Amino acid sequence: MSQRLGTPNDHAPARVRFAPSPTGYLHLGGLRTALFNWLYARHTGGQFILRIEDTDQNRFVEDSLDNIMSSLRWLGLHWDEGPDVGGPYGPYTQSERKELYHQYAEQLVDEGYAYRCYCTGERLAEMREEQKKNKQSFGYDRRCRDLSDAEHAKMKAEGVPSVIRLKVPLDGATTFDDKIRGPITIENSQLQDAVLFKSDNMPTYHLAVVVDDHLMEITHIMRSDEWVSSTPLHKILYDAFGWAMPIVAHLPVILDPSGKGKMSKRKKVVAGKEYLALVHEFQDAGFVPSAMFNFLTNVGWNFDAEREIFSQEEAIERFDINEINSGPAALPYDKLTWITGMYIRDMSPEQLKLLLVPYLSQQIDVDEETLLNNGKLDGLIPLIQERMTTLTDADQLVDWAYLDADALSYPEPGKMIGKKLDAPTCIEILKQGGEMLSEIEPFDADTLQATFRQEAEKMSVKVGPFLTPFRVALTGKTVAPPLFESMVVLGREEVLKRIQNGLQALEAYAAQPA
């Protein structure tokens, strides 16, 4: 039997782990669990370990591990030990540790804390049907718990497959301390003799998690509250091995934005609005990782009642496991959009450009090298930055700038007609504008604005309606970034081409019969 460890100290450097199963893509609840573990490790100067719990091979999803790792990296949650970076307690993938679990399972059998069960799947199904018919609670009936040595020997000689089950005490109660919820006591009569080692030579979660957390010297277990009901079994296992149980903290459930139901692992419609659930969906939707970090840190914990925006370093310094809330936390989804907008507006143009390029390249079908190097985006970002709430907003604001003049269409030429003006007047405005733009020096925003305002005054037309024909001719839109700065981004030659094309479209529109 292993030597008992001392009780962990939650003020010392913590060793914590995030241990996902590669059975699906990482969702927001899982990311919050990883984040809280990471914050606590960094706050205490400890280590954050990534461990892959892949013992359920039947539910394995091919690319889910890549998804999990890329999602963690997106948020900046880099691990100190893990399957790809190694470490002194590896391997960090459970399927590579099978022999180790088998050794500990056999040890439990030898010492009377577990037993072999030979019940077939058919026999267990019949048992459940009988329990259902008699309106009994479901659970293994412990048929194999007290088989004699002779009976075990007979089963082994006949090659009957077996699993190893935990021998839960039949009376008394099991108590463990939860850092968030306080002491929790469960009557042992409510617990099942859980399977620890399966007939396929793979451990179940219960055995593997206890063995791994002990051998990897995990000091604090922060995990979803769905594991509260399993913790008494784990406490019994720790006691059987003679090991001290790490400090456990079961994180509060995350509710959907209505506050009425648990957040789904799939997209969910609440009050007619679709809400995302998987981390990569938030990435694809253009949310900024620093904003997600800020947002998610405050779901179930609170940085400061007076501050909504804070840095990663500030969160690390202030994070306290003792201040995590025990009650469910509704997801304030709309706040994520607001926080993302705040972070976007606070970025330098160069920072924003680097984040925008991968999105824009896909959205407007322009290669990344062009977006990075041709200079247009550098001129456009200061014009659109204040208007953006997510990174995917940019395409509708800049797509026009990457079209050739002849590719820009005017399906509704009438929109070039300014308020309270008519087509002939706007045709004349465009003609005058073309002549001005051919001669204006220097071709900069201030000079363009001054010249156009003078011309509007000369023609006795208000500035807003006067500029409408130019805005639509240049961009194909009635709402676009500031006009004169946009002209500078396009350059004189391109601007003149677009005005000429817009003029032709408006003249054709005006020539149509009423």
Side-chain angles (χ1 to χ4, degrees):
M1 187 62 65
S2 299
Q3 187 175 1
R4 180 180 294 277
L5 295 176
T7 303
N9 179 352
D10 69 343
H11 297 292
R15 282 183 61 80
V16 298
R17 49 60 167 188
F18 178 57
S21 298
T23 55
Y25 298 152
L26 187 62
H27 60 89
L28 209 59
L31 187 64
R32 198 274 304 267
T33 297
L35 171 60
F36 278 19
N37 276 280
W38 185 89
L39 280 170
Y40 192 60
R42 297 294 174 258
H43 174 77
T44 61
Q47 295 84 42
F48 174 65
I49 294 102
L50 177 64
R51 186 174 72 223
I52 305 303
E53 300 191 340
D54 62 342
T55 57
D56 190 351
Q57 294 289 304
N58 292 329
R59 297 175 58 218
F60 179 78
V61 175
E62 185 67 33
D63 59 345
S64 60
L65 180 55
D66 287 340
N67 175 272
I68 289 166
M69 294 175 115
S70 65
S71 296
L72 294 174
R73 291 192 185 102
W74 175 70
L75 202 67
L77 306 185
H78 299 286
W79 42 97
D80 304 296
E81 301 169 28
D84 57 335
V85 299
Y89 300 91
Y92 293 88
T93 300
Q94 286 185 338
S95 60
E96 299 173 18
R97 299 165 64 87
K98 289 188 292 185
E99 291 307 315
L100 190 65
Y101 307 127
H102 188 239
Q103 168 193 328
Y104 280 102
E106 292 289 350
Q107 177 180 317
L108 290 170
V109 172
D110 291 344
E111 297 180 356
Y113 295 107
Y115 60 94
R116 296 187 185 282
C117 173
Y118 305 92
C119 294
T120 63
E122 291 78 12
R123 194 259 154 181
L124 294 174
E126 290 172 3
M127 179 195 70
R128 283 191 291 270
E129 282 300 315
E130 189 68 22
Q131 290 170 338
K132 182 179 179 181
K133 186 172 68 174
N134 296 328
K135 298 183 178 178
Q136 298 171 319
S137 57
F138 293 154
Y140 179 57
D141 60 6
R142 299 185 167 107
R143 177 174 177 174
C144 296
R145 180 173 171 130
D146 297 312
L147 293 180
S148 66
D149 291 344
E151 289 172 306
H152 280 295
K154 180 176 182 293
M155 293 290 188
K156 183 176 180 180
E158 293 175 357
V160 179
S162 66
V163 301
I164 294 177
R165 289 183 180 270
L166 178 63
K167 189 178 285 188
V168 171
L170 298 179
D171 53 17
T174 297
T175 298
F176 65 94
D177 287 319
D178 189 295
K179 193 70 176 172
I180 297 173
R181 291 166 169 76
I184 296 176
T185 298
I186 301 293
E187 295 297 320
N188 290 333
S189 59
Q190 299 179 31
L191 302 176
Q192 300 294 321
D193 285 3
V195 174
L196 301 178
F197 203 80
K198 297 177 287 187
S199 58
D200 64 358
N201 288 319
M202 290 292 278
T204 63
Y205 172 78
H206 302 299
L207 177 65
V209 73
V210 168
V211 170
D212 285 347
D213 283 344
H214 172 72
L215 295 181
M216 293 181 182
E217 299 186 6
I218 300 302
T219 61
H220 296 71
I221 299 170
M222 279 187 276
R223 60 189 176 193
S224 167
D225 72 333
E226 67 183 299
W227 296 110
V228 169
S229 61
S230 297
T231 306
L233 295 174
H234 302 169
K235 178 66 166 62
I236 292 170
L237 276 169
Y238 277 104
D239 290 346
F241 284 123
W243 300 337
M245 188 172 182
I247 293 170
V248 295
H250 290 96
L251 304 177
V253 66
I254 300 179
L255 302 177
D256 67 34
S258 72
K260 296 177 181 178
K262 187 176 179 180
M263 190 189 76
S264 173
K265 294 183 181 180
R266 298 179 180 85
K267 289 181 183 179
K268 187 173 184 179
V269 176
V270 178
K273 184 174 182 180
E274 184 179 63
Y275 291 95
L276 307 178
L278 301 177
V279 178
H280 73 265
E281 293 173 342
F282 287 91
Q283 291 178 253
D284 295 344
F287 290 98
V288 176
S290 52
M292 178 62 84
F293 182 101
N294 192 143
F295 166 77
L296 211 52
T297 298
N298 261 356
V299 179
W301 181 76
N302 188 262
F303 175 82
D304 187 332
E306 304 300 320
R307 284 182 61 188
E308 294 282 3
I309 306 295
F310 46 85
S311 69
Q312 191 177 95
E313 292 72 23
E314 288 174 313
I316 290 171
E317 181 180 356
R318 193 172 295 196
F319 187 78
D320 188 345
I321 191 174
N322 296 295
E323 295 176 357
I324 297 174
N325 300 316
S326 61
L331 192 70
Y333 193 98
D334 291 339
K335 188 173 286 186
L336 175 58
T337 303
W338 175 79
I339 292 175
T340 296
M342 295 291 287
Y343 272 92
I344 286 175
R345 289 186 282 279
D346 195 49
M347 290 178 189
S348 69
E350 185 60 29
Q351 284 177 307
L352 183 54
K353 177 183 175 181
L354 293 175
L355 289 175
L356 281 177
V357 163
Y359 290 92
L360 284 174
S361 179
Q362 295 293 320
Q363 291 171 311
I364 63 176
D365 195 25
V366 176
D367 65 86
E368 292 191 13
E369 185 177 352
T370 298
L371 290 167
L372 285 168
N373 299 320
N374 77 351
K376 280 186 179 180
L377 197 54
D378 298 282
L380 289 167
I381 283 176
L383 310 183
I384 67 174
Q385 193 163 1
E386 291 294 320
R387 303 184 184 199
M388 295 174 59
T389 55
T390 67
L391 297 173
T392 51
D393 291 340
D395 70 314
Q396 295 295 317
L397 298 170
V398 306
D399 54 353
W400 54 270
Y402 292 91
L403 293 171
D404 291 332
D406 293 337
L408 187 66
S409 62
Y410 308 100
E412 298 181 75
K415 289 187 175 180
M416 276 184 268
I417 300 172
K419 187 176 181 180
K420 295 185 178 180
L421 300 180
D422 55 24
T425 302
C426 290
I427 289 170
E428 183 60 26
I429 287 172
L430 285 173
K431 289 179 178 178
Q432 291 296 327
E435 293 177 8
M436 289 189 300
L437 287 164
S438 299
E439 302 172 356
I440 288 176
E441 291 293 348
F443 196 81
D444 60 36
D446 289 341
T447 305
L448 288 165
Q449 182 173 5
T451 304
F452 272 67
R453 285 183 177 276
Q454 290 173 5
E455 186 63 24
E457 186 175 342
K458 188 187 301 183
M459 294 182 68
S460 300
V461 177
K462 290 183 177 180
V463 174
F466 183 85
L467 299 180
T468 296
F470 298 103
R471 179 173 292 106
V472 178
L474 261 59
T475 69
K477 304 172 185 283
T478 55
V479 178
L483 177 62
F484 303 114
E485 289 82 355
S486 297
M487 288 181 173
V488 174
V489 168
L490 289 172
R492 191 197 307 267
E493 182 178 350
E494 181 69 14
V495 168
L496 288 171
K497 285 181 183 177
R498 293 184 183 217
I499 288 177
Q500 183 59 37
N501 289 348
L503 176 61
Q504 291 175 359
L506 186 56
E507 287 176 334
Y509 172 81
Q512 292 177 355

